[in-house]
């Protein structure tokens, strides 16, 4: 005998049991993961600007060095925002079916040039910041930047 869904009652019962067990197991795993992150927030990787700030905080910077670091952060923040806006506009045009296919290459090239210009600005700002550091500070900064997957306590 089968029910309206076409499965026999014992088979349907096992399907419901299997789905319930699967759901319970998935909820358990989500809970374990969320609990781990909640108990150990210091194990979450830092974003790049957080990593830079953490390293700079440990360098005991002078006022002039702090000003150079602030210029570096400003260059990264403003240049990154400008690049993203420019590139998003280009990608919107690329995604527009009305855009002639002959223009797509130029739009993609524009996004590449935008990213390259941003990277050059950041490289220049980094160079100016690093020039203000003492040899010991610079060595510490570079060594800290080399460490994979910076995992530090968040403030």
């Amino acid at each position: 005998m089968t029910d309206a869904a076409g499965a026999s009652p014992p088979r349907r019962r096992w399907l419901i049991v299997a789905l319930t067990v699967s759901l319970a197991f998935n909820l358990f795993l989500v809970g374990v993961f969320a609990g781990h992150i909640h108990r150990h927030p210091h194990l979450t990787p830092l974003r790049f600007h957080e990593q830079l700030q953490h390293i700079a905080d440990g360098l005991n910077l002078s006022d002039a060095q702090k000003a150079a670091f602030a210029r570096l952060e400003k260059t990264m923040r403003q240049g990154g925002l400008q690049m993203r806006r420019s590139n998003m506009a280009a990608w919107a045009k690329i995604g527009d079916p009305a855009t002639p296919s002959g223009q797509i290459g130029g739009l993609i090239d524009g996004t590449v040039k935008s990213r390259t210009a941003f990277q050059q600005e950041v490289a220049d700002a980094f160079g100016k910041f690093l020039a203000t550091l003492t040899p010991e500070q610079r060595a510490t900064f570079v060594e800290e930047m080399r460490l994979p997957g910076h995992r530090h306590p968040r403030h």
Side-chain angles (χ1 to χ4, degrees), residues 1-151:
M1 176 194 270
T2 62
D3 62 7
S8 65
R11 203 179 250 183
R12 183 180 174 126
R13 195 170 306 134
W14 280 110
L15 178 63
I16 291 171
V17 169
L19 289 174
T20 303
V21 169
S22 175
L23 176 63
F25 182 68
N26 285 322
L27 289 174
F28 170 75
L29 290 178
V30 168
V32 167
F33 179 72
H36 178 76
I37 295 298
H38 180 71
R39 284 189 310 277
H40 304 287
H42 60 284
L43 296 178
T44 57
L46 296 178
R47 286 177 237 131
F48 186 69
H49 70 277
E50 293 174 325
Q51 176 183 354
L52 282 179
Q53 185 63 58
H54 177 78
I55 294 169
D57 288 347
L59 293 177
N60 195 22
L61 299 176
S62 68
D63 289 340
Q65 292 169 327
K66 287 178 184 177
F69 184 75
R71 286 189 295 275
L72 169 61
E73 285 186 308
K74 183 177 179 182
T75 298
M76 290 173 57
R77 186 175 47 255
Q78 289 179 342
L81 181 61
Q82 181 181 354
M83 177 194 64
R84 280 189 295 281
R85 286 181 180 158
S86 170
N87 289 354
M88 287 177 71
W91 282 107
K93 289 179 185 176
I94 291 168
D96 184 355
T99 301
S101 60
Q103 291 181 2
I104 292 175
L107 290 167
I108 292 173
D109 189 47
T111 64
V112 171
K113 288 179 181 175
S114 173
R115 179 168 295 280
T116 302
F118 168 66
Q119 289 172 333
Q120 186 59 55
E121 288 175 28
V122 171
D124 291 344
F126 251 113
K128 290 175 183 172
F129 168 66
L130 291 174
T132 68
L133 299 179
T134 66
E136 295 80 18
Q137 287 173 316
R138 188 172 182 166
T140 300
F141 182 85
V142 170
E143 185 60 34
E144 286 284 320
M145 287 297 293
R146 285 176 159 176
L147 295 175
H150 269 75
R151 296 176 190 276

